Amino acid sequence: MTDLLIKLIPVFPLLAAIVNGLAGRKYSHEIAHRLAWGSVGLSFLCTLGVFIDVLRSGTAHEVIAYQWIFGGDLTINLAYLVDPLTCIMLLVVTGVGLLIHVYSVGYMHGEAGFTRFFTYMNLFMVSMLLLVMGNNYVVLFIGWEGVGLCSYLLIGYYYDKVSAAKAASKAFVVNRIGDAGFLLAIFLIFINFKTLDYTKVFAQVGQLSPDMATAIALCLLVGAIGKSAQLPLYTWLPDAMEGPTPVSALIHAATMVTAGVYMIVRNHAIFDMSPTAMFWVGTIGGITALFAATIGLVQTDIKRVLAYSTVSQLGYMFLGCGIGAYSAAVFHLMTHAFFKALLFLSAGSVIHALSGEQDIRKMGGLSTKIPWTYRLFLIGTVAIAGIPPLAGFWSKDEILAHAFTHEHYVLYGMAAIGALLTSFYMFRLTYLTFYGTSRMDHHTEEHVHESPMVMVGPLMALGVLSVFGGFLGFPPEHGWLHQFLAPVAGMGGEHEASTGLVLTLMMIATGIALLGWGVAHYFYSVNLSAPERLSAKFQAVYTTLLNKYYVDEFYDLVWVEPTKKLGQLLDWFDRTVIDGLVRGVAQMAELGAAGSTWREKYMVYAGLNVIGYGNHLIARQWRQLQSGLVHHYAAIIVAGLFLLAVITQLIMQR
């Protein structure tokens, strides 16, 4: 029974995506959204059944859904591995995903592309489920690329908007850089182990030389950096806020961006063999956590503040992985999914109430106008700031404490400063949005209204999880969650800290969070002129932070523009040299016919015309395939891959 439930988990959203994608225009939006969120709900119920079985039996399940590719040393199955790590990821993906799907019904109401939106959302769910359920690197990579494609489609949902189209393309291209490293890691794994199945690879991992383990781990890290938006490949994530708010909550807060963290934890046996790789994982995480937090201090778009917060919080997860606190990293991944989805969806409720306004400088005084949204946003703010007893405190404090007790003092310092800045900019966001006097224009203020229950209901559920979800990891490093993950991720550390030290570190973490809140309260509630005076005094620093350290401009100067010029050069070479050679051949034929009889000339010209007309007909037919739409090309590629797989299997069977 459990094996059947495992197979059904990705099937339901896949069927919904196919039906809505092919026939969605033929029936009402009511049917389309019920099919979309209902399919995710069924996947969630199947996940609960599988989770209960794994919890009761304590054993992992490997299920082969389809024997795919086999020949020589290579055998690849469409197969699933469901162990404690998979269960936690499945609960997050399907549980939070279900709430976001339901919320989207209200948020996307009236959109022209309503059915298209839910088709893309279901496709994303299928890809993410394959990513976390696969028992081998090929299935993982299919899901990995699938979420990248769906991210492109959802970020560019408003494809007629130039900024959205550019943001989608940017996300797609930047992720390709990381994916190249991931592919290299897969090739190296197969070369060394002659298999791509997790269980077989991890059973033989001790045979790797230290240098090869480092090479594989660093290539995996490159893939994780791209997908989880860490330095230096983080720039796509803030721009991805061009997509609808539910997309930001699902893909860029709760699920897709955590894929890199999941991949590192899943492959921790390889990373543990390379101190060099572990150093870089922790260092990149610590620097990113601090770097992104500084940018969030001065941003004025409500969703971009949350976007840089996401980059920063992902840095904490990487830091946890880098110091060997894998369970703590997964713990923070889970709690972050709760409170960051809550914050994004609450921000969407604010945007919905203000008819699309996202600039926090044009808000204020909303606490009494949209009270439910205000209370739930405040819960998310307190949780992410790390104030006890909400969820963010337990998971973030555990990473900080692990860094200190295991003598990673520099990383601890960076993380602690990042936590202080996080508390400050999140309460800054709360004060500017919900407190003080209104800065809205008269027309907008007249139409402010609370969101419908279909949007507020999921916020309440996420609010409850943000308050109580942290207790799944209590007491620190020995809670239920750590015990459950121990067979996959270990218990995290080679020595125990004294109770006194743990309590002291918890008090310090709480003090840091309260200090950030206090400073924000002073600046944005007590002395309202202080931020303006401070920004004027440190104008250069303020401008640099407001412009995000000019990283995008630097990348444009060093990479983007030179690449464009190279493309223009190659285009000139193609038109001038290659096409010139082709025209030259035709002209030579004409010159050769010039001295012939009229009959020979006629035959040459007739032959050239027949060939030219035939090429024209062929080109006209093939041109119809070149629609210019990336999802059309992706569909053709996927169809070709499946056709190639079927042909290969038939040949192998013969």
Side-chain angles (χ1 to χ4, degrees):
M1 183 63 180
T2 301
D3 289 356
L4 176 61
L5 292 177
I6 291 171
K7 292 179 181 179
L8 288 175
I9 289 173
V11 168
F12 291 121
L14 176 61
L15 291 176
I18 292 173
V19 174
N20 273 339
L22 296 179
R25 295 183 180 181
K26 298 180 181 179
Y27 45 74
S28 67
H29 288 179
E30 187 78 13
I31 297 175
H33 77 69
R34 288 180 185 275
L35 187 62
W37 66 258
S39 65
V40 180
L42 290 173
S43 293
F44 177 65
L45 292 176
C46 291
T47 297
L48 284 178
V50 173
F51 167 68
I52 291 171
D53 180 76
V54 173
L55 185 63
R56 184 189 301 118
S57 65
T59 58
H61 293 266
E62 272 194 281
V63 180
I64 298 177
Y66 176 69
Q67 292 184 341
W68 187 14
I69 299 173
F70 50 89
D73 293 331
L74 181 62
T75 299
I76 299 172
N77 296 316
L78 179 58
Y80 307 129
L81 170 64
V82 178
D83 58 12
L85 176 60
T86 310
C87 285
I88 296 299
M89 294 299 298
L90 284 176
L91 288 170
V92 169
V93 172
T94 58
V96 177
L98 173 60
L99 295 173
I100 294 172
H101 273 72
V102 173
Y103 174 95
S104 301
V105 175
Y107 189 87
M108 300 301 292
H109 178 73
E111 290 283 351
F114 187 85
T115 304
R116 173 168 57 90
F117 173 82
F118 279 104
T119 300
Y120 293 164
M121 291 281 276
N122 282 145
L123 279 175
F124 169 81
M125 292 297 295
V126 175
S127 300
M128 192 67 199
L129 291 171
L130 288 176
L131 191 156
V132 301
M133 292 176 67
N135 85 327
N136 61 72
Y137 290 95
V138 175
V139 177
L140 169 64
F141 189 73
I142 291 172
W144 191 273
E145 290 300 293
V147 294
L149 172 63
C150 294
S151 174
Y152 171 85
L153 296 173
L154 286 165
I155 295 169
Y157 172 77
Y158 300 113
Y159 56 85
D160 54 346
K161 186 179 176 183
V162 175
S163 57
K166 287 184 176 180
S169 299
K170 184 177 183 179
F172 200 77
V173 171
V174 172
N175 272 276
R176 297 291 72 73
I177 299 171
D179 295 349
F182 191 20
L183 269 176
L184 285 175
I186 293 175
F187 294 151
L188 289 174
I189 288 170
F190 181 72
I191 289 172
N192 284 275
F193 298 105
K194 306 303 180 185
T195 182
L196 292 173
D197 289 353
Y198 295 150
T199 52
K200 296 178 182 177
V201 169
F202 300 150
Q204 306 173 50
V205 75
Q207 302 173 9
L208 281 178
S209 67
D211 290 342
M212 182 54 66
T214 298
I216 294 174
L218 290 178
C219 288
L220 289 172
L221 175 60
V222 172
I225 287 171
K227 194 66 72 182
S228 292
Q230 297 293 283
L231 282 167
L233 303 179
Y234 73 95
T235 56
W236 67 270
L237 183 60
D239 289 353
M241 297 303 109
E242 292 290 343
T245 300
V247 174
S248 303
L250 178 65
I251 297 182
H252 308 120
T255 53
M256 173 183 154
V257 292
T258 60
V261 180
Y262 163 78
M263 188 259 284
I264 292 176
V265 176
R266 174 63 72 191
N267 290 275
H268 75 87
I270 297 176
F271 280 88
D272 287 341
M273 292 191 64
S274 173
T276 300
M278 293 290 282
F279 167 81
W280 283 111
V281 172
T283 301
I284 289 172
I287 295 174
T288 303
L290 180 58
F291 178 84
T294 60
I295 298 176
L297 294 173
V298 299
Q299 298 304 305
T300 56
D301 184 298
I302 188 171
K303 287 174 65 176
R304 284 187 178 268
V305 174
L306 297 178
Y308 282 105
S309 170
T310 297
V311 176
S312 180
Q313 296 304 307
L314 289 165
Y316 282 98
M317 299 175 208
F318 270 67
L319 192 156
C321 291
I323 59 178
Y326 298 110
S327 293
V330 176
F331 184 23
H332 195 54
L333 181 156
M334 182 189 72
T335 60
H336 177 263
F338 299 155
F339 58 70
K340 187 52 66 66
L342 172 62
L343 287 166
F344 264 116
L345 296 185
S346 298
S349 183
V350 172
I351 295 167
H352 182 268
L354 301 184
S355 303
E357 182 60 65
Q358 296 184 199
D359 192 336
I360 58 178
R361 295 171 297 183
K362 299 178 181 179
M363 298 181 187
L366 289 173
S367 61
T368 57
K369 301 180 186 300
I370 46 175
W372 279 110
T373 299
Y374 156 66
R375 296 187 187 105
L376 292 162
F377 192 93
L378 183 61
I379 288 173
T381 299
V382 174
I384 194 174
I387 296 175
L390 274 69
F393 166 76
W394 301 107
S395 57
K396 190 188 295 186
D397 173 72
E398 186 173 322
I399 293 174
L400 287 167
H402 197 282
F404 187 89
T405 57
H406 290 73
E407 301 178 357
H408 300 284
Y409 299 123
V410 175
L411 293 178
Y412 173 81
M414 289 191 289
I417 296 172
L420 173 65
L421 299 181
T422 298
S423 179
F424 171 79
Y425 68 67
M426 284 306 305
F427 279 105
R428 166 185 176 266
L429 179 62
T430 303
Y431 279 110
L432 289 176
T433 303
F434 295 101
Y435 291 95
T437 57
S438 171
R439 298 179 298 279
M440 297 174 280
D441 62 73
H442 181 68
H443 176 75
T444 301
E445 190 166 8
E446 280 187 336
H447 293 84
V448 173
H449 58 284
E450 184 62 271
S451 298
M453 186 52 62
V454 72
M455 294 171 63
V456 175
L459 295 182
M460 292 179 177
L462 289 167
V464 172
L465 292 171
S466 297
V467 172
F468 298 106
F471 291 106
L472 294 174
F474 181 83
E477 297 199 10
H478 298 282
W480 170 86
L481 183 68
H482 304 82
Q483 301 289 342
F484 184 61
L485 288 172
V488 182
M491 289 301 290
E494 63 276 1
H495 62 269
E496 296 289 335
S498 66
T499 303
L501 178 58
V502 170
L503 291 175
T504 300
L505 292 172
M506 291 174 68
M507 292 176 62
I508 292 173
T510 303
I512 288 172
L514 292 176
L515 176 61
W517 185 357
V519 175
H521 177 75
Y522 176 77
F523 278 1
Y524 298 101
S525 183
V526 177
N527 190 351
L528 300 181
S529 62
E532 187 175 348
R533 294 200 309 271
L534 195 63
S535 62
K537 184 176 181 179
F538 299 97
Q539 183 66 39
V541 176
Y542 176 80
T543 304
T544 301
L545 294 178
L546 189 64
N547 288 279
K548 299 150 298 205
Y549 291 99
Y550 300 98
V551 173
D552 282 305
E553 291 78 1
F554 175 76
Y555 285 174
D556 284 343
L557 179 65
V558 175
W559 299 109
V560 178
E561 292 304 322
T563 303
K564 286 182 179 179
K565 291 179 180 178
L566 177 61
Q568 293 169 356
L569 176 63
L570 293 175
D571 180 63
W572 172 87
F573 182 81
D574 179 64
R575 287 185 290 104
T576 305
V577 179
I578 304 300
D579 288 353
L581 288 173
V582 174
R583 288 192 297 268
V585 172
Q587 291 172 0
M588 289 175 64
E590 292 181 12
L591 290 173
S596 306
T597 64
W598 68 270
R599 186 184 301 275
E600 292 170 335
K601 291 180 181 180
Y602 176 78
M603 294 299 293
V604 170
Y605 286 126
L608 289 174
N609 285 332
V610 169
I611 294 172
Y613 183 67
N615 287 337
H616 172 71
L617 290 177
I618 295 171
R620 187 169 61 182
Q621 296 300 319
W622 279 98
R623 191 183 301 124
Q624 296 177 7
L625 295 176
Q626 308 304 316
S627 63
L629 300 176
V630 173
H631 59 278
H632 285 179
Y633 300 150
I636 293 171
I637 292 171
V638 171
L641 287 173
F642 275 107
L643 181 61
L644 180 61
V646 171
I647 293 173
T648 303
Q649 186 173 18
L650 290 174
I651 293 173
M652 295 299 297
Q653 288 175 347
R654 292 183 62 184

